Amino acid sequence: MKITLFATLMISSCVASTIQSTAQSAGPVPTGVPASVATAPSASSQTKSYGLISVPELMPGILAGYLPPAALPNSLALVPPAPTPGTAVYALDEAVSKANLALQGSPRWQQATSDANLSFPHAAETFSCSMGIPINDTETPHLYMLLRRSFTDAALSTYAAKNHYNRPRPFMENNRPTCTPNDEAFLRKDGSYPSGHTTIGWAWALILTEIAPGQTDAILARGRSFGDSRLVCNVHWQSDVNEGRIMGASTVARLHADPAFLADLDAAKADYEIARAKELKPSRDCAAEATALTTPSAAVTNPAVH
């Protein structure tokens, strides 16, 4: 069966493109991608990965990941069944979703809108402030490559469960706005469980803590807020986000057995050290980002048990 690369999956949130790779998967994937996930073609049809291998594009601007289809974590085996009405988990999902509606139009909503944009180069800058360096294809090229390729692996890891459960998203039930209205037609057809954006963001956060261990707390906090932005955007439930983090961690665990990933990880570490030595500054307005993130989403990842 063919798998559509929702790897464009997150780049912005709704660039209308049809992407199908020849990889096999556990089920069919949507035929379109959100505009917020589409990206411009690379300068050439193939991009070199630290002199190791040529990396083909699965579609313009979307690079192949490190893992072959059979090596991807199986979300259907790793996450529990999607919550159903009448259960305690579903009630929590609804309560968190309702609470986050109050953030619409706020600075936190604007940050969530930015986080929804998974197009490159925008998405690569997500952790610029938490790492304290710019992240782009000129000043940190190997780090940039690492993010682009791991993006694809993380995104594809979610589809076995997404396709199986085909869970409706919050905006489809509450009829309230999302932060990416142009993506809504696509999102209605793309299962909510688990969250792909969260999977990608958490995978990136875990990888980046290895590159900049001194920034671990800041990086992980940003990775968490990146997933919480999907709650603010009214496009995911709390349980979608929770299980997205499981899939992000699962993807990173598997990537550590891949020689090409490990080579690129070492190269990215060198990029980071060079950027720090040059005292290069983050590419984003870190003060504005910090201010926006001081208004937390109504996320609950560890509800109290009495």
Side-chain angles (χ1 to χ4, degrees):
M1 304 170 101
K2 293 185 177 180
I3 191 165
T4 297
L5 214 294
F6 187 44
T8 57
L9 218 199
M10 304 312 123
I11 291 182
S12 132
S13 242
C14 244
V15 130
S17 276
T18 298
I19 53 177
Q20 298 210 347
S21 74
T22 57
Q24 292 185 336
S25 76
V29 176
T31 56
V33 296
S36 55
V37 175
T39 190
S42 298
S44 60
S45 60
Q46 291 190 331
T47 305
K48 294 292 183 181
S49 173
Y50 193 46
L52 203 64
I53 55 174
S54 290
V55 183
E57 292 185 329
L58 298 179
M59 66 167 288
I62 303 300
L63 299 183
Y66 294 99
L67 303 176
L72 290 168
N74 181 359
S75 54
L76 195 56
L78 292 172
V79 305
T84 55
T87 63
V89 176
Y90 191 86
L92 176 63
D93 279 348
E94 289 194 313
V96 172
S97 177
K98 183 177 180 180
N100 274 290
L101 293 176
L103 295 175
Q104 293 187 357
S106 69
R108 185 65 182 87
W109 170 269
Q110 299 306 320
Q111 182 62 55
T113 302
S114 177
D115 287 349
N117 182 353
L118 285 181
S119 62
F120 288 87
H122 178 88
E125 299 170 342
T126 298
F127 291 87
S128 178
C129 292
S130 60
M131 291 190 76
I133 62 168
I135 303 176
N136 54 55
D137 61 353
T138 56
E139 293 166 310
T140 54
H142 304 113
L143 175 54
Y144 187 77
M145 168 67 75
L146 188 72
L147 295 180
R148 290 185 68 182
R149 295 195 67 189
S150 59
F151 166 98
T152 302
D153 294 317
L156 291 178
S157 77
T158 66
Y159 268 96
K162 274 182 173 287
N163 292 336
H164 180 78
Y165 296 113
N166 196 29
R167 187 184 191 187
R169 295 168 183 266
F171 76 89
M172 297 168 63
E173 297 194 6
N174 60 34
N175 296 312
R176 296 289 296 275
T178 71
C179 62
T180 53
N182 291 337
D183 290 355
E184 290 177 14
F186 173 86
L187 295 176
R188 287 179 181 277
K189 301 175 183 178
D190 185 72
S192 187
Y193 181 84
S195 165
H197 275 72
T198 303
T199 300
I200 292 168
W202 195 242
W204 281 350
L206 295 177
I207 291 169
L208 293 175
T209 61
E210 297 187 62
I211 295 170
Q215 298 297 111
T216 292
D217 289 348
I219 292 169
L220 292 179
R222 186 67 183 95
R224 179 169 182 163
S225 68
F226 189 81
D228 290 347
S229 285
R230 304 309 284 161
L231 306 173
V232 178
C233 275
N234 194 30
V235 295
H236 274 296
W237 306 99
Q238 178 71 65
S239 56
D240 301 343
V241 170
N242 292 350
E243 299 306 330
R245 293 182 181 125
I246 296 297
M247 292 314 303
S250 300
T251 300
V252 174
R254 179 57 185 82
L255 282 170
H256 276 81
D258 185 83
F261 169 79
L262 294 176
D264 282 356
L265 182 64
D266 285 341
K269 291 177 181 178
D271 274 356
Y272 174 72
E273 294 302 332
I274 292 171
R276 295 284 286 182
K278 291 182 177 179
E279 298 184 344
L280 300 179
K281 303 302 181 184
S283 51
R284 291 197 173 176
D285 184 339
C286 297
E289 179 176 288
T291 297
L293 293 175
T294 56
T295 303
S297 63
V300 179
T301 54
N302 296 299
V305 176
H306 301 284

